[in-house]
Amino acid sequence: MRVAVAGLGYRMANVLKSFHKANDDLTIVGLVDPVPAGLEQVEQDGLKVGPRFESVDGMLKQVKPDLLTVGSPNALHLDHIRSGLQHGVKVFTEKPVVIDEQQTLEMARLLGEFGIDRVLVGLVLRYSDLYRDLRNAQAQGQIGNVVSIEASEHIAPYHGAFFMRDWRRYQQYAGPYILEKCCHDIDLYASVVGARASAVSSFGGRKSFVPDNAPAVMSNVEREQYYRKPSGWNSTEHVFDSDADIIDYQTALIEYETGATMAFHANLNVPNQFRRFCVIGAKGMAEGDFVRNNFAVHDAASGEKLVEKRYAGVEDDHYGADDQMAFDITRNLREGEPLPVGILDALEAGLTAIKIDEARRTRKTIELAEIWNGFDEALRMTPSGH
């Protein structure tokens, strides 16, 4: 597989490692990134990186890849994906696809012109064993119609400090925090409900990573915690007095078009981190935790435990899902096998997250019917539909 790379940070380096496992013949035929933080990692994994280019257009004019991978800062995704589409190349983009409502509509118009099958997306949790087992429990009728969901993504202080030091601390590059970090979760639970969000509200702010909480003298233990995760482009050493404009905790309420609801909680400073859910339906409930690797289903009428599982995945490879995603995408590229998530799913989850943060900033409940009408209108030229 011949791959051209737009943006080679630490995350894309991990993705390419998984693609290499699925493709012994993978070669990187071109790279666009003025400061490729993941370059050393990729070379250590046995991949040679081809020539460097100043622009994606310039690269694609000279190389003919099977796939363009987009791992650049989120604000650049739209332009880089557009280049790939215009050059007739299939594109894999990291999440979130775009950073705001305007970019979402522009991406929808591009998909209308070029087709939704031309862009693949790295919503990797859809490939996890835990998610597949949740969907299987639904298919077997063990949950019934979804009534309500309680879910969270709580990350450890070392990871929260990374966000305060990384380029992701700026919304102009990453979009709001709930978009950048939690669009996975918003996508997952929309797929479980089987409907779009119809209304959102939200509250949150920044209370942990603020100057008042900075240690007077940072101990070795604290330094190990707050600088454990490396940052690349546009990074800073500041943690508690960072110039970040993102928040570090947020609660969102979502109502779906079916009438089901979800309460979602994000926090960047949780020492015993977890990423769990409780999906409650008319016939039963399913509970799981991506970090603690457990899953259970209980029947509503009898209280009987119908399913209990544990998993072996770890956070660094998205609980085992990175390799599975690379394997499945390879089969899609070679054999046309369907994937569990598509670009429209990603855009819908992203737009929901964007409106959640708008609700937080404006302290309003936002009805989304008109938003979806505009989104669908932008897609009106899509040849394949959803």
Side-chain angles (χ1 to χ4, degrees), residues 134-142:
L134 171 59
R135 298 293 277 154
N136 186 54
Q138 281 190 282
Q140 294 183 20
Q142 295 173 330

Side-chain angles (χ1 to χ4, degrees), residues 6-280:
L8 182 53
Y10 294 115
R11 171 60 191 156
M12 184 51 67
N14 285 334
V15 171
L16 290 171
K17 179 180 180 180
S18 291
F19 272 115
H20 194 201
K21 292 179 184 177
N23 300 271
D24 290 339
D25 62 345
L26 187 144
T27 57
I28 299 174
V29 297
L31 169 64
V32 175
D33 190 332
V35 189
L39 180 61
E40 181 178 355
Q41 179 180 335
V42 163
E43 292 176 339
Q44 288 176 351
D45 292 333
L47 280 168
K48 293 184 178 180
V49 178
R52 304 270 286 272
F53 297 87
E54 293 187 2
S55 72
V56 177
D57 275 331
M59 175 171 64
L60 296 180
K61 285 176 181 177
Q62 294 192 43
V63 301
K64 302 295 182 184
D66 301 306
L67 187 69
L68 169 67
T69 65
V70 176
S72 48
N74 307 339
L76 302 179
H77 287 185
L78 177 61
D79 287 341
H80 292 167
I81 293 169
R82 181 189 290 112
S83 292
L85 294 175
Q86 290 174 342
H87 284 273
V89 177
K90 208 150 193 177
V91 179
F92 168 86
T93 180
E94 260 302 320
K95 60 80 193 167
V97 182
V98 290
I99 66 166
D100 57 31
E101 187 174 347
Q102 180 180 349
Q103 284 196 348
T104 302
L105 297 178
E106 179 60 27
M107 181 63 68
R109 286 187 282 269
L110 281 174
L111 296 174
E113 180 180 356
F114 292 98
I116 61 174
D117 61 338
R118 293 281 304 281
V119 184
L120 311 175
V121 65
L123 283 174
V124 66
L125 290 189
R126 288 265 204 135
Y127 295 86
S128 67
D129 289 336
L130 174 51
Y131 173 73
R132 293 176 189 231
D133 286 337
L134 171 59
R135 298 293 277 154
N136 186 54
Q138 281 190 282
Q140 294 183 20
Q142 295 173 330
I143 300 171
N145 292 333
V146 175
V147 176
S148 61
I149 300 174
E150 180 183 272
S152 60
E153 184 179 9
H154 290 169
I155 65 175
Y158 82 87
H159 205 164
F162 161 79
F163 271 93
M164 295 300 156
R165 295 186 292 104
D166 191 57
W167 60 262
R168 294 167 177 86
R169 71 189 184 275
Y170 297 130
Q171 294 189 55
Q172 64 177 318
Y173 298 137
Y177 174 79
I178 198 165
L179 169 70
E180 154 62 26
K181 190 68 177 75
C182 307
C183 60
H184 282 304
D185 309 80
I186 293 170
D187 166 65
L188 286 186
Y189 305 122
S191 74
V192 169
V193 174
R196 289 168 165 174
S198 59
V200 295
S201 62
S202 182
F203 300 93
R206 187 162 156 197
K207 289 185 177 296
S208 293
F209 293 101
V210 295
D212 285 349
N213 293 331
V217 177
M218 193 170 289
S219 68
N220 290 337
V221 171
E222 290 166 329
R223 181 163 293 279
E224 162 62 21
Q225 177 75 264
Y226 299 128
Y227 296 94
R228 181 190 312 178
K229 190 173 174 67
S231 180
W233 173 72
N234 208 359
S235 63
T236 178
E237 290 297 296
H238 298 278
V239 176
F240 294 93
D241 56 347
S242 165
D243 60 353
D245 59 15
I246 59 170
I247 59 178
D248 61 21
Y249 72 98
Q250 188 165 8
T251 302
L253 291 177
I254 301 175
E255 181 185 58
Y256 295 93
E257 291 170 343
T258 61
T261 61
M262 178 167 74
F264 183 79
H265 181 202
N267 193 297
L268 283 69
N269 191 43
V270 181
N272 191 12
Q273 64 180 346
F274 53 93
R275 190 176 198 170
R276 64 191 179 202
F277 60 82
C278 179
V279 177
I280 302 170

Side-chain angles (χ1 to χ4, degrees), residues 295-356:
F295 179 63
V297 180
H298 286 80
D299 180 74
S302 67
E304 178 186 359
K305 184 181 287 186
L306 304 177
V307 178
E308 184 172 23
K309 287 191 172 184
R310 295 197 64 83
Y311 308 92
V314 296
E315 181 188 10
D316 287 347
D317 67 352
H318 283 97
Y319 328 109
D322 279 344
D323 288 350
Q324 187 63 54
M325 178 181 73
F327 177 80
D328 286 359
I329 287 177
T330 297
R331 290 188 62 193
N332 172 269
L333 293 172
R334 291 178 174 173
E335 305 166 23
E337 288 292 319
L339 296 172
V341 64
I343 185 63
L344 294 189
D345 300 306
L347 290 175
E348 290 178 5
L351 190 50
T352 302
I354 289 162
K355 302 312 285 189
I356 285 172

